[in-house]
Amino acid sequence: MAKLARLLRGFDFAMLTTIDEEGALVGHPMTVQEAEFDGDLWFIVGQDSSAVHHLARERTVGVTLSSNDSWVSLAGTAAVVDDHAKLEELWNSRVEAWFPDGPADPNVGLVKFSADSAEYWDTPGGKVASVLSFVKSKVTGEALEGENEKIEL
C-alpha cells in the first residue's frame, strides 16, 4: 500500500473509465486532486459532463494513471458528492482552465472514487533506468525488469 501511495503522488492526470447507457466503456481525462492516497481519489467535474451522467446509472469504474516509468490501474466505485467545503479545499489553479468561474460555479461538482483493488507496474530507477533496461532486454533477449503487484484494498 505504501508503494502504491508513493506512485500515485507522481501522477497529475488520470483516466476515469465509466460505463455508458449501452454498456460501453468510456474514458474521461481527470486531474488528480489529492497527493495523499488513502483508498479514495477526488476529481473536480462539470455537473453536465457525460461522466456524471454515467455515474448516476452505474457506479462501477476504473481509474488508470501512467507516466514514463510507472503505471497504476484502480478498480472501484465512484459517486458525485455534494460537499462544497471539500470542493473549496481541493480547488487549485490547475482546474481553473476548465472552470474559470471558480468553485462557486453551480456546474462544478466533485466525484469521489473509492478503490476496491489496485495493480501497479513500476520500473525501478526512473526514465533513464527504463531506457537502459529496454536496451538490455533487446540486446540480451531477457525480459524487461520491473515490479508488478496486485493489491486488494
Side-chain angles (χ1 to χ4, degrees), residues 67-91:
S67 68
N68 292 329
D69 56 6
S70 59
W71 302 265
V72 174
S73 175
L74 304 168
T77 58
V80 177
V81 175
D82 184 18
D83 185 341
H84 194 75
K86 185 69 172 177
L87 179 61
E88 290 278 351
E89 173 192 331
L90 296 173
W91 193 261

Side-chain angles (χ1 to χ4, degrees), residues 46 96 122:
E96 287 178 358
D122 186 33

Side-chain angles (χ1 to χ4, degrees), residues 47-117:
Q47 295 282 19
D48 60 354
S49 68
S50 59
V52 168
H53 295 296
H54 297 165
L55 291 173
R57 191 184 138 290
E58 175 60 60
R59 295 186 55 206
T60 302
V61 299
V63 175
T64 54
L65 308 99
S66 68
S67 68
N68 292 329
D69 56 6
S70 59
W71 302 265
V72 174
S73 175
L74 304 168
T77 58
V80 177
V81 175
D82 184 18
D83 185 341
H84 194 75
K86 185 69 172 177
L87 179 61
E88 290 278 351
E89 173 192 331
L90 296 173
W91 193 261
N92 61 74
S93 60
R94 294 186 303 179
V95 296
E96 287 178 358
W98 291 277
F99 305 107
D101 293 333
D105 181 340
N107 187 46
V108 176
L110 281 176
V111 167
K112 180 181 182 182
F113 167 78
S114 299
D116 296 325
S117 64

Side-chain angles (χ1 to χ4, degrees), residues 3 6-8 10-11 65-73 120-124 126-127 130 147:
K3 171 80 180 227
R6 184 182 62 74
L7 288 173
L8 287 171
F11 299 112
L65 308 99
S66 68
S67 68
N68 292 329
D69 56 6
S70 59
W71 302 265
V72 174
S73 175
Y120 68 81
W121 299 262
D122 186 33
T123 52
K127 190 186 306 185
S130 295
E147 182 181 349

